[in-house]
Amino acid sequence: MVLIELTLTSIEFSNKLKEFEYNFSFSWVKKVFYQWSFINKVIERRSILKFRYSNVVYYFEYCFAIYNYLLNFPMDKLKYLDEYHFVFKQMYRNKGWNLKTTLNITLLTSLQHNNPLTFTYRYNTNNQFTFLETIYSFINDKFLVSGDVLICDNAFIHTGLNIYENLMYLLFSNNIYIVFLPAYSPELNLCELVFSFVKQFIRTNRFNNESLINSIYRVCSKINHNMMINFYKKCIFKKDFL
């Protein structure tokens, strides 16, 4: 497929198109790419992996599977999960001496009126075993319940061989389904929207002498049911493919 051969130059694209009897000059190809906001630069590894044929196919299969799911089931059964590492010094607007520490947040979204989101945090690095513990706590606290669809990326801590079998047993024994996002596709995980909101709010409204974790709790308390619905809609109903 021409569209996923990211390393081709404009001339090579033009020649490739001619193989399919499309006689376009390389200058026309270059102009179209600029109109699409594409730029010619060194390709990052994650871009190559994202646009591999198998991942592109899975990307569209995932999008249409979610769309078809919503034709038959309520959106509130979809629960998105993701981790974010808050670096203390990056959350301050002014320069100064701050703790060189990372706060790791594991977020789970919901469309429940009283609990639109929940999260756990730790100051140590997350790993596959702490992830399994977190899933157990979400189930134990009824944030994940029977019939839910858990959506997360395929990071190693979510798919590690040391916990995978136990994770699947834990989820399936509680009638919870898990769906992994296409690789390198954060735009499909609405947790990214929540984290973006939290970071922006803290940077512009943080109280003096307030701990970072208290700031995060304060911001998350401001995310209500209507805001979460908008996050869901923005993430799921992409105009680019639906």
Side-chain angles (χ1 to χ4, degrees):
M1 293 180 64
V2 176
L3 293 179
I4 60 173
E5 295 185 42
L6 299 180
T7 57
L8 296 181
T9 65
S10 298
I11 295 177
E12 290 170 336
F13 260 108
S14 177
N15 293 334
K16 194 74 174 179
L17 289 171
K18 290 176 181 178
E19 296 178 10
F20 296 90
E21 300 183 354
Y22 294 103
N23 190 21
F24 298 118
S25 66
F26 78 92
S27 59
W28 181 88
V29 171
K30 187 175 181 179
K31 180 180 179 180
V32 169
F33 281 166
Y34 278 119
Q35 290 176 343
W36 289 348
S37 298
F38 277 76
I39 60 174
N40 191 293
K41 64 176 185 179
V42 176
I43 302 297
E44 296 181 353
R45 181 176 180 272
R46 61 183 179 181
S47 295
I48 295 176
L49 293 175
K50 175 169 181 161
F51 290 100
R52 287 181 304 175
Y53 177 76
S54 58
N55 199 59
V56 171
V57 171
Y58 181 61
Y59 192 104
F60 283 96
E61 287 178 345
Y62 165 84
C63 293
F64 284 106
I66 293 296
Y67 177 73
N68 289 328
Y69 173 90
L70 293 175
L71 294 177
N72 302 287
F73 300 95
M75 187 165 58
D76 60 7
K77 301 305 291 182
L78 301 179
K79 306 286 181 69
Y80 287 81
L81 179 145
D82 200 7
E83 292 85 15
Y84 188 81
H85 311 297
F86 286 88
V87 180
F88 277 54
K89 64 179 182 179
Q90 294 178 356
M91 301 309 298
Y92 290 87
R93 297 184 63 184
N94 299 321
K95 292 184 178 180
W97 292 102
N98 299 303
L99 294 174
K100 187 179 180 181
T101 309
T102 300
L103 180 65
N104 298 298
I105 298 291
T106 300
L107 175 73
L108 181 72
T109 68
S110 171
L111 285 178
Q112 297 179 13
H113 285 272
N114 297 328
N115 297 300
L117 61 84
T118 186
F119 66 86
T120 62
Y121 71 92
R122 65 180 60 249
Y123 292 97
N124 298 318
T125 303
N126 287 327
N127 56 48
Q128 54 187 310
F129 300 104
T130 60
F131 172 68
L132 183 61
E133 292 174 2
T134 299
I135 295 299
Y136 179 82
S137 68
F138 286 156
I139 294 175
N140 190 53
D141 294 335
K142 306 301 181 184
F143 290 112
L144 281 173
V145 297
S146 177
D148 281 349
V149 178
L150 176 64
I151 301 175
C152 60
D153 61 37
N154 59 354
F156 176 74
I157 66 170
H158 303 156
T159 59
L161 294 178
N162 292 324
I163 58 100
Y164 189 79
E165 184 176 341
N166 291 333
L167 175 65
M168 293 300 110
Y169 177 79
L170 176 63
L171 293 174
F172 292 153
S173 62
N174 287 277
N175 194 33
I176 298 169
Y177 305 92
I178 186 168
V179 176
F180 293 108
L181 293 166
Y184 300 99
S185 302
E187 70 276 8
L188 298 179
N189 193 333
L190 69 86
C191 292
E192 296 290 338
L193 300 176
V194 176
F195 286 136
S196 178
F197 174 82
V198 170
K199 288 187 295 182
Q200 181 63 28
F201 192 95
I202 290 177
R203 285 171 177 157
T204 56
N205 299 279
R206 187 171 184 184
F207 296 151
N208 292 331
N209 301 320
E210 183 180 42
S211 67
L212 181 56
I213 186 59
N214 285 343
S215 294
I216 293 174
Y217 273 115
R218 181 166 58 87
V219 178
C220 288
S221 67
K222 296 181 179 294
I223 299 178
N224 56 35
H225 179 68
N226 291 332
M227 290 178 64
M228 190 58 72
I229 288 178
N230 290 332
F231 286 151
Y232 267 74
K233 289 180 177 179
K234 180 178 289 189
C235 178
I236 294 174
F237 301 108
K238 297 283 186 182
K239 66 179 181 180
D240 300 297
F241 53 79
L242 292 180

